[in-house]
Amino acid sequence: MLLRKALLILNANLLLLSAPTALYSQLAPRPQPRPAPRPQFNNVAAESGITFRHENGASPEKHMFETFGSGVGVIDFDNDGLPDLFFANGADLAHGKPSPGNALYRNLGNRKFEDVTAKAGLAGNGMFATGVTVGDYDNDGFLDIYITGYGSNQLYRNKGDGTFTDVTASAAVAAGAWSSSAAWLDYDRDGYLDLFVGRYVDSDIRKAPYCGYHKPGYRMYCEPQLFDGTAALLYHNNRDGTFTDVSRKAGVANPAGKTLGVAIGDIDGDGWPDIFVANDGVRNFLYRNKGNGTFDDITYGAGVGFDINGKALAGMGAEIADLDGDGLPDIFFTAFSDQYNPLYRNLGKLLFEDGTVKAGLPSSVKTLGFGTRVFDFDNDGYPDIYVTNGHVIDNVALYDQRLSYRQPDLLYRNLGGGHFRDVSAESGPAFRMQHVGRGLAVADFDNDGDLDIVATDSGGAPLLLRNDGGNRNHWIAFRARGRESNRFGIGAKVRVTSGGKPQLREINPYGSYLSTSDTRLYFGLGNATGARIEIEWPGGKKQALDNVQADQILVLDEADAR
């Protein structure tokens, strides 16, 4: 009996060894392939040759502008296909010291940058510079720079020979007060870029109010509620190198505004660029372009003025982008610590809902967000969210030990359909760093197909975060050449369809906080090796390209459109 049992077991084992693979796989599942490693971000600013340091002018008097920080602009100023960097700088105004100067770094193409500020003539006039917005206002094919600041603004025209000239006075765009984020847009679609300038509060350096406890070390920076707001500016491009202030006529001069973030996008798909303004401590503004040179403030009806509890947030940086893939641009902006960074989902028909929690984003954060950018860091075809953080109160830990002045950044990965997961801890040593984050921009600095990050630090050195591994998936990028539209195609809509999935975005480097990103537009394609491309230019012409190969930067020329 025992011998018969042993023979049965032996025969069974022999059957298993000779069984088809399908039968064996049911009994012993194959090991699953390990998921691809997450792209890693590494700070390479120092090794790249970037030595810039920001001057925030921190003083015992605690003037509010000392908390502001300054932005960064990505600008290929010499048209060599390599994104260069422009850093705005602050100043020690409390002690009457001018700014140590802005900085322009030329991309040398070998992951190195060279300081060419002096040669380019961009050190500035000594003001406390805040925002940077880059655009070709005269359609000569070279990107120009508009710098906002505390007290005045500056416009530098790119001469095309590596140098710039200050044309602020002749262009009539100096009006400042305390200006913050700005953006170029062709609001009347005449083929020339106009200029929207956000402005912050009415603050006088001669009289800084005292805030905080009256004991040594406890004086703190005041809240914006102590100051009146300031109306934004809209400059119409006269197409002769000059601009006209049309703010009141256009309906965007709300004196209650305390603007920090400005984002541009066609929220209703009618072909006209709209404006979202993130305000600090008062309701936001959503200006719908009526197509006749004027805007309607539709904030209340659209539902984007307040948080989910009906309270005004401390809005900082802002973005307009389609985050859930339904073809409708959504709105995301950053806010204060112990608030949350809201995502307003576009429902169509000029209606939005607060979809923050539904999207998997936190309903409360300890960090204080400033610059933000929506981009596909891993090229899987789903746009992700990056937020740079840093508090405004340098002694905040004295008042709340849960909070810190220097803070880490955040990265939210889009899982598809606008659902997100915090992957900061998995995404490299950059997220173990703590800094006083302010401005933020993205660009493919090494032209390897994945987008890198540059973030400014208030009172410190910027971060240049190289994306290592984001190009494991396929990608495609576009550089626009407008003819009847503005020269760099700002506002053009590009639809990319790959693997049966469409993605719709606008050529729009503006948004974030005080900063401008690359004018080139990048799409992740995942595993797809080709795509169909459809373009709608700001002037209305359209064109389409089939079977476009992945992993290249294409030039889209409006001359080929109909």
Side-chain angles (χ1 to χ4, degrees):
M1 188 71 179
L2 288 175
L3 177 60
R4 183 181 177 188
K5 194 172 190 179
L7 289 172
L8 287 172
I9 293 173
L10 177 60
N11 289 335
N13 287 336
L14 290 173
L15 284 172
L16 284 174
L17 290 173
S18 61
T21 302
L23 174 61
Y24 181 77
S25 65
Q26 293 176 12
L27 299 174
R30 298 174 183 172
Q32 294 299 311
R34 296 177 64 184
R38 182 88 59 221
Q40 301 289 291
F41 288 91
N42 295 278
N43 183 23
V44 296
E47 65 189 70
S48 297
I50 296 173
T51 59
F52 173 81
R53 288 192 69 86
H54 179 258
E55 172 61 70
N56 62 8
S59 71
E61 293 77 24
K62 303 285 186 180
H63 295 279
M64 274 197 71
F65 54 79
E66 299 167 5
T67 70
F68 218 63
S70 301
V72 59
V74 176
I75 174 173
D76 182 4
F77 74 93
D78 51 3
N79 284 343
D80 65 354
L82 298 168
D84 311 301
L85 280 171
F86 177 82
F87 293 98
N89 208 350
D92 187 0
L93 297 184
H95 298 100
K97 297 180 181 179
S99 171
N102 310 313
L104 176 67
Y105 285 89
R106 181 171 179 263
N107 190 335
L108 301 178
N110 56 358
R111 294 187 172 180
K112 299 290 184 181
F113 288 81
E114 175 190 12
D115 188 336
V116 295
T117 312
K119 178 182 177 182
L122 283 173
N125 62 3
M127 72 176 184
F128 194 119
T130 54
V132 182
T133 187
V134 173
D136 182 7
Y137 76 91
D138 52 1
N139 282 341
D140 66 350
F142 291 93
L143 290 164
D144 312 298
I145 303 175
Y146 187 72
I147 308 166
T148 61
Y150 180 84
S152 65
N153 302 324
Q154 285 187 284
L155 176 61
Y156 283 97
R157 179 178 175 270
N158 189 337
K159 296 166 65 176
D161 59 359
T163 67
F164 292 75
T165 184
D166 186 341
V167 296
T168 312
S170 61
V173 290
W178 183 352
S179 297
S180 54
S181 295
W184 297 99
L185 75 162
D186 185 5
Y187 78 91
D188 56 357
R189 298 196 337 194
D190 65 351
Y192 282 76
L193 292 176
D194 312 296
L195 181 62
F196 182 88
V197 182
R199 297 196 289 181
Y200 194 47
V201 299
D202 184 6
S203 172
D204 190 340
I205 191 174
R206 295 169 297 181
K207 46 183 180 182
Y210 190 101
C211 294
Y213 296 143
H214 285 269
K215 55 182 182 178
Y218 277 79
R219 184 171 183 173
M220 64 189 298
Y221 290 102
C222 295
E223 297 181 353
Q225 285 80 355
L226 294 181
F227 304 88
D228 292 334
T230 309
L233 300 170
L234 179 62
Y235 289 109
H236 177 258
N237 191 332
N238 299 324
R239 299 188 285 181
D240 60 1
T242 69
F243 292 80
T244 300
D245 184 348
V246 296
S247 314
R248 291 183 179 275
K249 177 182 177 182
V252 297
N254 189 332
K258 299 179 180 181
T259 300
L260 289 178
V262 172
I264 309 296
D266 183 6
I267 59 150
D268 53 358
D270 65 354
W272 298 90
D274 309 300
I275 304 170
F276 176 77
V277 176
N279 285 313
D280 190 3
V282 297
R283 74 169 177 91
N284 305 311
F285 304 148
L286 179 57
Y287 293 116
R288 178 178 176 266
N289 192 332
K290 296 167 65 177
N292 60 1
T294 67
F295 293 79
D296 270 341
D297 183 351
I298 64 168
T299 311
Y300 288 111
V304 296
F306 304 94
D307 72 2
I308 199 168
N309 299 310
K311 296 180 179 180
L313 294 170
M316 307 293 181
E319 284 281 273
I320 295 178
D322 179 11
L323 286 162
D324 53 9
D326 64 356
L328 300 172
D330 309 300
I331 296 174
F332 176 84
F333 67 94
T334 57
F336 211 76
S337 54
D338 284 331
Q339 295 182 351
Y340 67 104
N341 301 325
L343 168 59
Y344 291 107
R345 182 170 175 264
N346 192 336
L347 304 178
K349 300 181 179 179
L350 304 179
L351 294 174
F352 291 77
E353 70 170 1
D354 189 326
T356 310
V357 175
K358 288 182 181 178
L361 297 171
S363 58
S364 178
V365 292
K366 294 294 182 288
T367 51
L368 197 166
F370 273 92
T372 184
R373 195 66 182 163
V374 171
F375 70 105
D376 188 355
F377 80 93
D378 54 0
N379 283 331
D380 65 352
Y382 300 105
D384 312 296
I385 301 173
Y386 191 101
V387 178
T388 190
N389 300 301
H391 217 282
V392 294
I393 301 173
D394 53 0
N395 56 355
V396 67
L398 294 177
Y399 288 89
D400 190 337
Q401 294 183 357
R402 302 171 307 143
L403 304 178
S404 63
Y405 181 51
R406 307 180 72 82
Q407 299 177 348
D409 288 352
L410 292 169
L411 179 63
Y412 296 105
R413 180 172 183 259
N414 192 334
L415 306 177
H419 298 282
F420 294 85
R421 185 172 73 85
D422 185 345
V423 295
S424 312
E426 309 163 27
S427 300
F431 295 93
R432 294 190 288 273
M433 301 176 61
Q434 297 201 6
H435 68 141
V436 189
R438 292 295 185 263
L440 175 75
V442 301
D444 184 6
F445 292 108
D446 48 9
N447 284 341
D448 67 348
D450 51 28
L451 288 165
D452 312 297
I453 299 166
V454 57
T456 65
D457 183 294
S458 179
L463 309 181
L464 181 61
L465 306 183
R466 189 181 64 216
N467 185 340
D468 292 325
N471 56 4
R472 294 188 187 100
N473 283 319
H474 294 292
W475 56 277
I476 195 163
F478 305 100
R479 183 166 62 87
R481 181 178 293 150
R483 303 293 181 171
E484 296 176 17
S485 302
N486 66 85
R487 188 60 180 269
F488 282 80
I490 302 300
K493 297 175 184 176
V494 181
R495 183 187 299 274
V496 170
T497 304
S498 60
K501 183 181 71 175
Q503 301 178 61
L504 178 64
R505 295 180 201 162
E506 294 184 23
I507 298 177
N508 192 333
Y510 314 111
S512 189
Y513 173 75
L514 306 180
S515 301
T516 304
S517 292
D518 198 344
T519 55
R520 300 177 300 182
L521 185 63
Y522 276 67
F523 289 81
L525 302 181
N527 295 323
T529 57
R532 172 178 168 81
I533 314 299
E534 300 167 85
I535 312 102
E536 181 178 346
W537 292 88
K541 286 188 174 181
K542 299 179 181 180
Q543 63 191 109
L545 303 169
D546 285 310
N547 301 317
V548 178
Q549 290 298 307
D551 306 327
Q552 61 171 319
I553 302 173
L554 287 180
V555 175
L556 300 177
D557 197 318
E558 192 177 12
D560 300 325
R562 294 183 178 180

